[in-house]
């Protein structure tokens, strides 16, 4: 039947007077908004038709009054047997006099009352019978259970409410046809007044548009047959699912992949370092033994007696002996794990591999921050970490540990919002990165002054340039209030002071050593011994698997080839040369990088470049600490970094051009050859970094070193033999006369000279004066020495005793 029909049992107004009377009752129960809402059969037919066409309600629908609930949906359920009162039509009013008269408007949804009782369905939300005159059945309201009118109850039944069987009233599901409205149901009475109003835009009581029949709703409780055409709702992930997704996003992030790739390449390109990590050391077991002891000592003393850190157990009875060479103090946390020589060797090998990984990751980060692409940045990182000349430094962990330099520069550049490609972008400033950059720079300095001191001077020069720029922009050229920002300026001040403070504290012991041991200072003549000629820039060390054998003749022509074979890679040279002409960097930036390459090469030559009169010598004479740098060739580190940045610009431009080429293809997908072409420079750079580094077995610790107390002296004693002895002392860290470093103290020279005749009265008395209690003589190393004759000589009359433990002869003084 049509929407103008009333519910069964209710009188139908046939005359005009009755219709007027019904309209008056509707107005008394709750006046509809006079915005032109259409009433009558036409409105009902319109309301019925709208859900089928999906149209919005016509203009003129009444606004909902205060207290009325906005129906979520008032659309008809397909297949309903009765007419559908659409949302947007005012509901009829139920009189309070119990007569059951219903004021019908165009699309009336009011229910009739029978025998003084009102079936207040309120949009079908609750089937609560209220007696006329006693209860104000508010429009769309539910009973005392506080279920909101026209909305779903606690089981999420949507607008129009559910009956007791849970059938949805007056609305199709959200994916289905909307309720013929744009979100605001039409004219709904305010539901106020004594007469009480049962109003809902869902339609009449008993109206099957509400999804229920007169006697209680959908008998079968059948689902909407149109529901199958709706789109499936998006599943809401669980907390575990969200966590897994977050972890997944982190795992495929660029920096995660870059870190993992750096670690994997470090293991492969330093192999077989981790093959027998507790028993072998890369290149030789002299300097690596010293540096393995350094890490062990710093970790041990920080856990036991930090105040005595610089008074190490070696070079007894010298003071400040830990500052006799670079300390690798930044690796102290690793030194806190494990004890004994095997743990020290394992620790050294792990840090050796990690140092290569950090070097590649740091240079990659710097190139990316400056504006290079991913593959170009990978080339810069690989060339910096695996340049052929660095293979000759495999025994010097303090030189290999250089990754903090580019990483700190990348962080500082990021914090200042600056890149080589895009310039200064204030919106990208972040003071947190500035603090991190200064912290990493201080950590790098703590690994040693050999490469840390030039880095410190580079940072000082950068700060000076930045300060001049700030002054000019603030007061002279285009005055700008705080061009770098107050927070950024504070971060630089705090970070710079922290870096300077760390450097000053670390320098104090070295000044003490320089004052107590004048022979430790190097002269310009000493620098000349280690200064490489220009041919060294094209000569590879013997440890290079690709070029080592081919350059054997060139190495023979060098005075001291371990520090003069400075080839950064022929592929790197070629890529950097190409970067001068084809690059993502601007021309002026390319020229600046080229100037940096030339300057650092000249400085790396030391006194070989016109005797260094206008290059290296002024630095040696006037920069504090510069005279402590023994090998100028290690400045090749900066040359390699700058060449890598030039190469990164060229490779990035090449990769960009390749993407442009395959973007024009149909389909726009690169061929395998094009994709491989972009990786070719990286593969070639890594190929030149393949090593043939020997990994000798470390001499085993004598059992006596685990039991004999100090102070003790181990004979024979020399620079090369004393370094493994230092490593052996990591079980007990007993005081030890032996020691190896960048220089030999006079006291140790005297001990070695006097004890050539040991055991005799002179040497015994001398050692007693020093405070030595035990002397260990190693039979395995006395062939061809005076001890080969005296080792079995009687000790009667010397006041000492002798015993043998394995191959060690122990003399107790």
């Amino acid at each position: 039947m049509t929407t103008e029909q009333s519910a069964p049992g209710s009188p139908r107004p046939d005359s005009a007077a009755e219709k007027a009377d019904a309209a008056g009752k509707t107005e008394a129960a709750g006046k509809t908004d006079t915005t032109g809402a259409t009433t009558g059969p036409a409105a009902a037919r319109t309301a019925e038709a709208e859900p089928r066409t999906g149209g919005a309600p016509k203009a003129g629908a009444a606004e909902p009054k205060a207290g009325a609930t906005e129906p979520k949906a008032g659309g008809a359920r397909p297949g309903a047997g009765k007419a559908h009162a659409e949302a947007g039509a005012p509901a009829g009013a139920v009189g309070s006099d119990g007569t059951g008269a219903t004021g019908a408007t165009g699309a009336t949804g009011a229910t009739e009352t029978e025998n003084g009782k009102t079936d207040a369905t309120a949009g079908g939300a609750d089937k609560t019978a209220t007696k006329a005159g006693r209860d104000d059945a508010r429009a769309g309201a539910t009973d005392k259970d506080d279920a909101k009118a026209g909305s779903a109850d606690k089981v999420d039944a949507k607008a129009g409410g559910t009956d007791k069987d849970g059938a949805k009233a007056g609305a199709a599901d959200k994916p289905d046809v909307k309720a013929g409205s744009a979100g605001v149901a039409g004219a709904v009475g305010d539901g106020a007044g004594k007469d009480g109003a049962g109003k809902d835009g869902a339609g009449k009581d008993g109206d099957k548009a509400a999804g229920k029949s007169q006697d209680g709703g959908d008998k079968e409780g059948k689902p909407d047959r149109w529901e199958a055409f709706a789109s499936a709702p998006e599943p809401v992930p669980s907390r575990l699912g969200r966590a897994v997704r977050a972890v997944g996003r982190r795992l495929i992030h660029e920096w995660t992949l870059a870190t993992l790739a750096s670690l994997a390449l470090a293991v492969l390109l330093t192999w077989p370092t981790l093959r027998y990590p507790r028993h072998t050391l890369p290149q030789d077991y002299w300097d690596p033994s010293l540096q393995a002891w350094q890490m062990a000592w710093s970790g041990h003393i920080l856990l036991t007696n930090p105040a005595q850190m610089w008074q190490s157990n070696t070079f007894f009875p010298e003071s400040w002996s830990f500052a006799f060479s670079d300390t690798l103090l930044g690796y102290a946390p690793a030194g806190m794990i494990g004890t004994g020589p095997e743990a020290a060797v394992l620790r050294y090998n792990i840090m050796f591999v990690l140092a290569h990984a950090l070097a590649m990751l740091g240079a990659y980060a710097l190139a990316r921050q400056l504006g290079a692409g991913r593959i170009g940045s990978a080339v810069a990182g690989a060339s910096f970490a695996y340049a052929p000349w660095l293979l000759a430094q495999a025994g010097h962990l303090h030189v290999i540990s250089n990754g903090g330099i580019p990483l700190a520069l990348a962080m500082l550049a990021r914090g200042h919002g600056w890149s080589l490609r895009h310039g200064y972008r204030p919106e990208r400033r972040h003071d947190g990165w500035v603090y991190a950059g200064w912290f990493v720079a201080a950590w790098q300095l703590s690994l040693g002054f050999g490469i840390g001191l030039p880095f410190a001077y580079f940072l000082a020069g950068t700060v000076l340039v930045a300060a001049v720029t700030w002054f000019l922009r603030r007061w002279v050229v285009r005055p700008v209030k705080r061009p770098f920002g107050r927070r950024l300026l504070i971060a630089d001040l705090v970070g710079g002071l922290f870096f300077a403070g760390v450097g000053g504290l670390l320098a104090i012991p070295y000044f003490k050593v320089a004052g107590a041991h004048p022979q430790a200072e190097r002269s310009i003549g000493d620098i000349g011994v280690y200064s490489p000629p220009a041919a060294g820039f094209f000569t590879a060390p013997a440890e290079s698997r690709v070029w080592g054998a081919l350059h054997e003749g060139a190495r023979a022509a060098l005075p001291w080839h371990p520090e003069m074979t400075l080839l950064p890679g022929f592929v790197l040279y070629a890529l950097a040369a190409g970067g001068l002409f084809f690059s993502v960097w601007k021309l002026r930036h390319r020229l600046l990088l080229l100037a940096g390459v030339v300057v650092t090469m000249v400085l790396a030559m030391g006194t070989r470049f016109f005797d260094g009169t206008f290059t290296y010598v002024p630095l040696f004479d006037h920069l504090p600490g510069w005279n402590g740098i023994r090998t100028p060739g290690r400045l090749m580190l900066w040359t390699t970094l700058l060449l890598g940045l030039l190469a990164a610009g060229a490779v990035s431009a090449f990769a960009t051009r390749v993407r442009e080429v395959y973007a024009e293809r149909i389909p726009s997908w690169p061929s395998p050859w094009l994709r491989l072409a972009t990786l070719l420079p990286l593969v070639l750079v890594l190929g030149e970094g393949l090593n043939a580094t020997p990994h000798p077995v470390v001499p085993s610790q004598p059992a006596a070193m685990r039991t004999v107390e100090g102070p003790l002296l181990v004979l024979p004693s020399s620079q090369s033999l004393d370094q493994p002895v230092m490593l052996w002392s990591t079980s007990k860290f007993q005081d030890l006369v032996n020691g190896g470093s960048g220089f030999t103290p006079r006291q140790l020279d005297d001990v070695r000279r006097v004890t050539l005749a040991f055991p005799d009265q002179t040497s015994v008395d001398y050692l007693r004066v020093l405070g030595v209690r035990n002397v260990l003589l190693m039979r395995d190393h006395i062939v061809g020495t005076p001890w080969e004759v005296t080792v079995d000589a009687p000790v009667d009359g010397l006041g000492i005793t002798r015993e043998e433990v394995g191959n060690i002869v122990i003399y107790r003084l």
Side-chain angles (χ1 to χ4, degrees), residues 277-279 289 291-297 299-300 334-348 698-702 705-706 724-734:
R278 300 174 64 186
H279 306 288
S289 293
Q291 292 167 338
W293 166 83
Q294 288 173 331
M295 284 188 283
W297 168 256
H300 162 76
M336 298 177 182
I337 305 173
T339 58
E342 285 191 0
V345 172
L346 174 63
R347 184 186 304 117
Y348 179 93
V698 180
S700 300
Q701 179 194 38
M705 290 294 296
R706 297 191 292 269
V725 172
M726 298 170 75
L727 177 63
W728 295 341
S729 72
T730 54
S731 293
K732 293 177 66 69
F733 288 104
Q734 62 267 61

Side-chain angles (χ1 to χ4, degrees), residues 560-653:
W560 182 247
H561 68 83
E563 297 288 352
M564 296 182 180
T565 50
L566 302 178
L567 175 68
F570 290 112
V571 175
L572 183 61
Y573 276 142
L575 292 174
L580 293 174
F581 305 97
F582 179 68
S583 177
V584 296
W585 313 130
K586 296 177 181 178
L587 178 60
R588 66 175 184 273
H589 295 150
R590 291 178 244 166
L591 295 178
L592 285 174
L593 290 172
L594 177 62
V597 168
V598 173
V599 169
T600 52
M601 275 187 166
V602 168
L603 292 177
M605 293 177 67
T607 59
R608 290 277 183 164
F609 188 82
F610 297 102
D611 297 328
T613 305
F614 303 104
T615 57
Y616 198 88
V617 173
L619 301 179
F620 184 89
D621 290 338
H622 301 293
L623 288 184
W626 200 271
N627 55 4
I629 299 176
R630 179 172 62 97
T631 53
R634 292 175 184 174
L635 291 172
M636 191 66 186
L637 190 72
W638 293 90
T639 305
T640 306
L641 182 60
L642 296 173
L643 287 172
L645 293 177
L646 275 173
V651 174
S652 298

Side-chain angles (χ1 to χ4, degrees), residues 478-505:
R478 294 182 303 167
V480 178
K481 184 179 181 181
R482 297 191 304 273
F484 298 129
R486 178 180 300 173
R487 294 180 60 181
L488 206 62
L489 183 60
I490 293 174
D492 280 322
L493 290 175
V494 174
L497 289 174
F498 175 75
F499 177 81
V502 170
L505 291 175

Side-chain angles (χ1 to χ4, degrees), residues 169 189 737:
V737 177

Side-chain angles (χ1 to χ4, degrees), residues 49-62:
E50 281 174 355
R52 299 177 185 174
T53 61
K58 301 289 183 179

Side-chain angles (χ1 to χ4, degrees), residues 325-370:
S325 58
D326 280 337
T327 62
L328 295 174
L329 187 59
Y331 290 150
M336 298 177 182
I337 305 173
T339 58
E342 285 191 0
V345 172
L346 174 63
R347 184 186 304 117
Y348 179 93
N349 285 321
I350 291 175
M351 300 312 297
F352 179 80
V353 173
L354 292 179
H356 284 83
L358 182 62
M360 181 170 183
L361 183 63
Y364 176 89
L366 178 60
R368 284 291 283 156
Q369 173 59 33
L370 294 182

Side-chain angles (χ1 to χ4, degrees), residues 8-24:
S10 61
R12 176 176 179 181
D14 295 326
S15 64
E18 289 173 336
K19 291 180 180 180
D21 181 63

